[in-house]
Amino acid sequence: PHFFDRGTPPGDMLTQAMASLQGVEAPQDAYRWREWMQSIGIVPDTVSSLVHVYGIVLHTPQETHPAFRAFCERHESYVVTLEALGGITAARPQAPAVYIVENEMVFCCLIALLRHKNAALICTSGQPRAAALRLMDLLRVGGYPMYYNGDMDPEGLAIADRLQQRYGQALTLWRMKPQDYEKALSREKVPEERLRKTEHLASPALIAVAKKLKEHRRAAYQENMLEDLLSDIERREVGR
């Protein structure tokens, strides 16, 4: 079943063979690789890729999707897979902007505190999977502002940097400045080998955070800024 998985020798041979036949370079990004494979008639796994969502209504070409509309009407979060997103052509948040967090417990806490209010949230659960990127692509096409907050450790900064490069002005880094890092500091030490992961950041804002990270050698986590995240959403979104 996993013979042609991406990253295995047979999978890489298949990818290079198809690229050679088409006379193109094979995409390195996992999401673009999936899109490319589907465009040539090969459908990779679309079930294990999923994302958690709150307050976003999904649309098919014919109608508002009744299942996802019901979750929004009941003020409940839902899980959507890449397979389910295959027939979705638009995403409409029930708020002027969408707030994206990396951590599952932060997502759950924000929902509990914002329930029955005007808010839209996405949880990527760390590195965004193809389903999360597909949903964010739909939001960008719709012109909805996206705000992203993640952990400020080497891995978290790398995720934020990739999203910033992908979405540009459509995505704003949220509470990810040097002063936010100082406020959210944890006791967890970051070893030198992990700090090296920050050397290839492109975003000036994240490079400034990485400088602080190298000074303190301690990670800063979303859980330590929960009150600020909640305040931002309430001040900017709720009641509008």
Side-chain angles (χ1 to χ4, degrees), residues 97-101 145-149 171-174 236-237:
V98 179
Y99 291 86
I100 304 165
V101 297
M146 295 181 285
Y147 293 86
Y148 177 81
N149 176 270
L171 181 139
T172 300
L173 296 176
W174 170 35
R236 295 174 183 173
E237 307 299 339

Side-chain angles (χ1 to χ4, degrees), residues 157 164 173 176-178 201-210:
L157 294 179
Q164 179 76 92
L173 296 176
M176 296 193 74
K177 296 180 179 179
L201 297 174
S203 167
L206 295 176
I207 291 173
V209 175

Side-chain angles (χ1 to χ4, degrees), residues 12-23:
D12 289 343
M13 289 176 67
L14 174 64
T15 297
Q16 292 304 321
M18 298 309 298
S20 178
L21 287 170
Q22 289 199 318

Side-chain angles (χ1 to χ4, degrees), residues 98-158:
V98 179
Y99 291 86
I100 304 165
V101 297
E102 177 187 340
N103 183 282
E104 297 90 343
M105 295 313 299
V106 169
F107 177 74
C108 291
C109 286
L110 288 173
I111 289 175
L113 295 167
L114 290 165
R115 198 174 299 279
H116 303 296
K117 294 182 179 179
N118 186 25
L121 296 122
I122 292 174
C123 179
T124 65
S125 299
Q127 178 67 42
R129 301 179 189 177
L133 296 175
R134 170 61 180 159
L135 179 57
M136 292 171 69
D137 286 350
L138 291 170
L139 292 167
R140 174 173 58 180
V141 170
Y144 300 105
M146 295 181 285
Y147 293 86
Y148 177 81
N149 176 270
D151 291 333
M152 285 176 278
D153 58 5
E155 295 77 15
L157 294 179

Side-chain angles (χ1 to χ4, degrees), residues 61-78:
Q62 296 78 28
E63 62 178 350
T64 300
H65 196 293
F68 300 118
R69 182 181 67 234
F71 278 109
C72 292
E73 290 173 349
R74 292 174 58 85
H75 302 281
E76 296 177 0
S77 64
Y78 62 85

Side-chain angles (χ1 to χ4, degrees), residues 34-35 118 124 127 155 163 167 176 184 193 212 224:
R34 282 177 178 271
E35 286 187 323
N118 186 25
T124 65
Q127 178 67 42
E155 295 77 15
L163 289 174
Y167 292 105
M176 296 193 74
E193 58 269 23
K212 286 290 183 181
N224 294 339

Side-chain angles (χ1 to χ4, degrees), residues 18-237:
M18 298 309 298
S20 178
L21 287 170
Q22 289 199 318
V24 299
E25 288 289 330
Q28 298 301 310
D29 174 82
Y31 179 62
R32 299 192 189 283
W33 173 83
R34 282 177 178 271
E35 286 187 323
W36 175 63
M37 294 297 279
Q38 288 180 321
S39 74
I40 58 179
I42 300 174
V43 181
D45 167 35
T46 56
V47 176
S48 63
S49 179
L50 50 85
V51 61
H52 288 75
V53 186
Y54 177 81
I56 300 176
V57 180
L58 304 181
H59 298 261
T60 69
Q62 296 78 28
E63 62 178 350
T64 300
H65 196 293
F68 300 118
R69 182 181 67 234
F71 278 109
C72 292
E73 290 173 349
R74 292 174 58 85
H75 302 281
E76 296 177 0
S77 64
Y78 62 85
V79 178
V80 61
T81 65
L82 184 60
E83 181 179 32
L85 285 169
I88 300 300
T89 55
R92 178 177 56 80
Q94 295 186 307
V98 179
Y99 291 86
I100 304 165
V101 297
E102 177 187 340
N103 183 282
E104 297 90 343
M105 295 313 299
V106 169
F107 177 74
C108 291
C109 286
L110 288 173
I111 289 175
L113 295 167
L114 290 165
R115 198 174 299 279
H116 303 296
K117 294 182 179 179
N118 186 25
L121 296 122
I122 292 174
C123 179
T124 65
S125 299
Q127 178 67 42
R129 301 179 189 177
L133 296 175
R134 170 61 180 159
L135 179 57
M136 292 171 69
D137 286 350
L138 291 170
L139 292 167
R140 174 173 58 180
V141 170
Y144 300 105
M146 295 181 285
Y147 293 86
Y148 177 81
N149 176 270
D151 291 333
M152 285 176 278
D153 58 5
E155 295 77 15
L157 294 179
I159 292 171
D161 193 58
R162 285 191 290 271
L163 289 174
Q164 179 76 92
Q165 301 314 306
R166 181 185 179 92
Y167 292 105
Q169 294 183 347
L171 181 139
T172 300
L173 296 176
W174 170 35
R175 290 280 176 180
M176 296 193 74
K177 296 180 179 179
Q179 59 266 36
D180 301 309
Y181 167 81
E182 298 271 8
K183 194 172 181 179
L185 270 177
S186 73
R187 295 181 180 180
E188 182 184 327
K189 295 290 186 179
V190 180
E192 183 63 34
E193 58 269 23
R194 288 179 60 199
L195 287 172
R196 296 194 193 102
K197 296 179 182 179
T198 65
E199 294 174 0
H200 304 291
L201 297 174
S203 167
L206 295 176
I207 291 173
V209 175
K211 183 178 179 181
K212 286 290 183 181
L213 177 60
K214 290 176 181 178
E215 290 177 6
H216 292 281
R217 295 177 175 267
R218 288 159 57 194
Y221 291 123
Q222 284 188 298
E223 294 92 329
N224 294 339
M225 62 180 85
L226 183 59
E227 290 184 2
D228 289 332
L229 300 181
L230 176 64
S231 175
D232 287 347
I233 298 174
E234 287 184 322
R235 186 172 64 252
R236 295 174 183 173
E237 307 299 339

